[in-house]
C-alpha cells in the first residue's frame, strides 16, 4: 500500500474508501502543555439512545458547549428520531445557536456565537 493509498484508504467494490482500526493512530497529548479548565467552550461527544439522553445534551448546550451526537441507535423509530431532532432544534433556537444533521448518524448542535457552515471544505 502506497502513501496515498494509506492516506486516502483503499477503495472497495462499492467505490467507498475502506478503513480499518490500523489506519488510525492514538494521539498522545502527553508532550503538549495543556491546562484543563482554561477553555470556555468544550466539545462533547454523545450517543442518543432515547429521550433520557437529551437532558445532558441540553445542559451542555445551555452551558455554551458544542455537542456532536450519534443518533444511529434511533433509526428504529422514525417518530422518536423526529421528536429528538425537534427538541434539539428548539434548544438551538432558544440559545440562538445552530443545529445540523450530518448524514443519518450524527447531529451537531452549537451555542450562540457559533454557526455551522453547510458547505464541505474543499468543495
Amino acid at each position: 500500500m502506497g502513501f496515498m493509498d494509506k492516506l486516502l484508504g483503499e477503495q472497495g467494490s462499492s467505490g467507498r474508501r475502506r478503513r480499518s482500526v490500523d489506519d488510525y493512530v492514538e494521539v498522545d497529548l502527553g508532550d503538549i502543555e495543556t491546562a484543563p479548565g482554561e477553555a470556555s467552550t468544550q466539545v462533547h461527544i454523545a450517543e442518543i439512545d432515547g429521550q433520557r439522553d437529551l437532558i445532558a445534551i441540553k445542559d451542555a448546550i445551555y452551558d455554551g458547549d458544542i455537542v456532536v451526537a450519534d443518533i444511529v441507535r434511533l433509526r428504529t423509530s422514525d417518530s422518536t428520531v423526529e421528536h429528538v431532532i425537534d427538541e434539539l432544534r428548539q434548544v438551538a433556537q432558544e440559545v440562538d445557536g445552530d443545529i445540523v444533521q450530518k448524514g443519518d448518524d450524527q447531529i451537531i448542535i452549537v451555542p450562540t456565537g457559533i454557526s455551522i457552515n453547510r458547505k464541505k471544505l474543499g468543495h
Side-chain angles (χ1 to χ4, degrees):
M1 175 184 283
F3 174 74
M4 289 305 290
D5 289 334
K6 187 157 181 117
L7 181 66
L8 299 175
E10 273 185 56
Q11 200 168 31
S13 60
S14 67
R16 295 182 126 182
R17 302 280 182 208
R18 289 185 298 187
R19 300 248 183 230
S20 72
V21 175
D22 296 333
D23 293 332
Y24 299 94
V25 177
E26 185 70 29
V27 177
D28 181 15
L29 298 178
D31 296 338
I32 300 172
E33 291 183 33
T34 59
E38 286 184 18
S40 61
T41 302
Q42 294 183 13
V43 177
H44 299 275
I45 307 300
E47 290 182 354
I48 303 175
D49 293 326
Q51 202 67 28
R52 69 187 179 285
D53 298 318
L54 295 181
I55 296 168
I57 293 170
K58 288 178 180 182
D59 287 344
I61 296 300
Y62 287 130
D63 288 344
D65 291 337
I66 298 167
V67 177
V68 178
D70 183 341
I71 59 169
V72 170
R73 294 188 176 134
L74 294 177
R75 292 285 110 200
T76 57
S77 170
D78 287 337
S79 63
T80 303
V81 172
E82 289 176 21
H83 186 70
V84 163
I85 292 172
D86 286 344
E87 275 198 54
L88 294 175
R89 187 176 293 123
Q90 181 180 356
V91 171
Q93 288 174 343
E94 287 175 6
V95 299
D96 196 26
D98 200 0
I99 183 170
V100 69
Q101 183 171 347
K102 182 187 167 291
D104 290 337
D105 59 345
Q106 289 183 342
I107 294 183
I108 303 167
I109 313 108
V110 298
T112 187
I114 301 173
S115 66
I116 302 170
N117 189 326
R118 270 89 172 148
K119 185 178 177 186
K120 290 183 180 181
L121 290 176
H123 288 101

